[in-house]
Amino acid sequence: MKIAVLPGDGIGTEIVAQAVRVLNALELPLEMETALVGGAAYEAHGHPLPESTLKLAQQADAVLFGAVGDWKYDKLDRPLRPEQAILGLRKNLGLFANFRPAICYEQLVDASSLKPELISGLDILIIRELTGDIYFGQPRGRRTATDGHFPGSEEAFDTMRYSRPEIERIAHVAFQAARKRSKRVTSVDKANVLETFQFWKDVVTEVGKEYPDVALDHMYVDNAAMQLVKEPKRFDVVVTGNMFGDILSDEASMLTGSIGMLPSASLNSKGQGLYEPSHGSAPDIAGKGIANPLATILSAAMMLRFSLNHEADAQRIEAAVQAVLAQGLRTADIYSAGTTRVSTLEMGDAVIKALK
Ligand code: NAD
């Protein structure tokens, strides 16, 4: 089992180091190779996603990714910015299905901005289509300035599109995921206004007939945004397009209170995947040894589950994380009175100890 390890920038290197230690502690036959990506790769090779890094990722069964970006690169031309590395990996590996679980750990119920009774026991999975929609439609406008702005223009527009095969494959992913959970899928659209999403709704409904054991309902995106904060536990699996998924998955992830806890997976049709925390490179705390490594460690668990077929080891990691939280150990972002504050490294140590 070959894993491309791409730590990236900022806290990326610190948190990925802990996830790698946890994976090593499982004593599985994992072959891990590290490469530069993002700003670090730009500094060394003049490009955020060098050919050698892309090749390593393509040849691996899975990619363990940290985070990329730093404010010092904000003035670079867009194709050279660190964030382009993640877009390039998604495109080149064909990663079309983005999984973002939002789980509320009992010990962290108070970290949410919602009332405990609304989120206690929360376990939802947002599945976002990642390679189509308005983000990949044709942008139109008169771009007259080199810095990407539109001085003097009267309009600009982007086109929203989805093809039947694109909708079918993400719908299958959602129904299959729901079969392993509480067998409910909510498809989120804007069919009342957008042709693309009436088509989306029709195709998801057709695919749903192949899964009679899974209950399907449809919800407009504006209502879904509201229901996520009003009654989040009504959802199980939520499937939606690229743009709505971008927004709703961030909303759902924050229900649980801390961005340092949230893993994600992006998969292609071969089961190859890229696994990363939902947060960024946090330049404000980089190098201080205080970042929360749990989102990355939980991403490694998702990697074992979805790409490497090691469900039992995935569960071992998740149980170890629960155990560490139950012991009251907290990095700064989830610290509250009465708990014990630990560093990034100490959190890694504690998870490894709990695993054993
Ligand atoms: P961010 O997620 O990096 O940080 C937001 C806030 O959350 C910061 O205060 C940070 O300290 C905190 N935080 C994030 N992760 C944490 C962790 N593990 N432990 C403790 N605290 C944590 O978002 P940002 O500040 O908007 O962006 C910083 C850089 O990251 C930008 O260059 C941005 O483009 C990039 N970014 C990259 C990715 C990615 O690599 N996939 C995703 C989002 C943002």
Side-chain angles (χ1 to χ4, degrees):
M1 294 182 286
K2 215 170 155 190
I3 302 170
V5 179
L6 310 182
D9 307 319
I11 61 168
T13 50
E14 303 166 45
I15 53 182
V16 166
Q18 300 314 312
V20 166
R21 289 178 66 218
V22 169
L23 285 170
N24 280 330
L26 292 172
E27 295 180 2
L28 296 169
L30 301 175
E31 201 185 301
M32 292 191 253
E33 197 175 331
T34 302
L36 295 176
V37 75
Y42 172 76
E43 302 284 354
H45 304 290
H47 196 278
L49 182 60
E51 199 55 45
S52 53
T53 300
L54 178 59
K55 208 164 153 204
L56 180 73
Q58 282 167 330
Q59 288 169 351
D61 297 302
V63 178
L64 183 63
F65 191 91
V68 291
D70 191 294
W71 302 309
K72 70 182 175 189
Y73 302 115
D74 282 356
K75 292 216 156 46
L76 281 179
D77 277 351
R78 200 168 288 281
L80 292 178
R81 290 199 199 163
E83 292 78 6
Q84 293 298 316
I86 189 80
L87 297 178
L89 283 165
R90 280 180 192 162
K91 190 161 169 255
N92 280 287
L93 298 178
L95 304 170
F96 71 92
N98 182 234
F99 283 57
R100 281 246 218 141
I103 295 172
C104 182
Y105 292 92
E106 235 23 68
Q107 300 83 359
L108 298 180
V109 161
D110 292 331
S112 173
S113 50
L114 295 193
K115 290 189 197 119
E117 61 269 29
L118 285 182
I119 54 133
S120 171
L122 181 77
D123 179 0
I124 56 185
L125 175 62
I126 307 255
I127 299 183
R128 165 188 172 196
E129 201 290 330
L130 212 52
T131 55
D133 205 347
I134 197 162
Y135 292 175
F136 290 90
Q138 280 190 337
R140 292 284 156 84
R142 276 190 296 135
R143 219 173 254 242
T144 49
T146 50
D147 63 358
H149 294 286
F150 297 85
S153 290
E154 297 304 320
E155 66 165 17
F157 60 87
D158 303 86
T159 49
M160 178 178 269
R161 63 167 291 285
Y162 262 119
S163 68
R164 178 180 291 276
E166 283 172 330
I167 303 170
E168 283 174 348
R169 66 180 181 175
I170 195 74
H172 281 293
V173 166
F175 286 111
Q176 281 160 18
R179 272 194 171 155
K180 297 185 188 150
R181 299 167 51 94
S182 45
K183 297 192 170 54
R184 283 183 294 123
V185 170
T186 302
S187 170
V188 172
D189 61 57
K190 189 73 186 170
N192 50 341
V193 177
L194 299 169
E195 296 307 315
T196 314
F197 274 93
Q198 181 60 54
F199 182 56
W200 169 283
K201 188 173 177 178
D202 293 349
V203 176
V204 172
T205 304
E206 275 173 42
V207 173
K209 291 186 184 139
E210 295 176 41
Y211 300 85
D213 52 323
V214 179
L216 169 66
D217 69 338
H218 303 272
M219 195 179 277
Y220 297 140
V221 63
D222 39 352
N223 187 21
M226 188 173 76
Q227 296 300 333
L228 270 174
V229 286
K230 184 169 171 249
E231 198 192 341
K233 282 191 271 186
R234 66 178 289 157
F235 296 106
D236 178 25
V237 173
V238 175
V239 63
T240 189
N242 203 346
M243 180 166 64
F244 298 157
D246 189 3
I247 300 163
L248 293 183
S249 63
D250 264 26
E251 186 189 357
S253 65
M254 278 319 291
L255 296 176
T256 64
S258 173
I259 195 146
M261 294 296 302
L262 296 156
S264 81
S266 303
L267 304 175
N268 68 15
S269 50
K270 294 182 284 188
Q272 231 182 346
L274 183 145
Y275 299 84
E276 58 172 333
S278 298
H279 58 74
S281 55
D284 54 335
I285 58 165
K288 296 187 178 159
I290 58 169
N292 186 346
L294 293 179
T296 317
I297 291 171
L298 291 166
S299 301
M302 288 182 89
M303 176 172 80
L304 289 164
R305 171 170 298 124
F306 292 119
S307 289
L308 306 179
N309 215 6
H310 272 257
E311 174 65 33
D313 290 298
Q315 286 183 17
R316 257 182 91 192
I317 293 181
E318 288 161 354
V321 167
Q322 297 253 23
V324 165
L325 293 174
Q327 288 160 26
L329 304 183
R330 305 278 189 274
T331 41
D333 57 310
I334 50 175
Y335 175 78
S336 59
T339 60
T340 310
R341 196 160 170 157
V342 294
S343 67
T344 310
L345 181 68
E346 287 165 338
M347 188 57 107
D349 287 341
V351 174
I352 291 167
K353 201 165 156 221
L355 264 185
K356 292 185 166 160

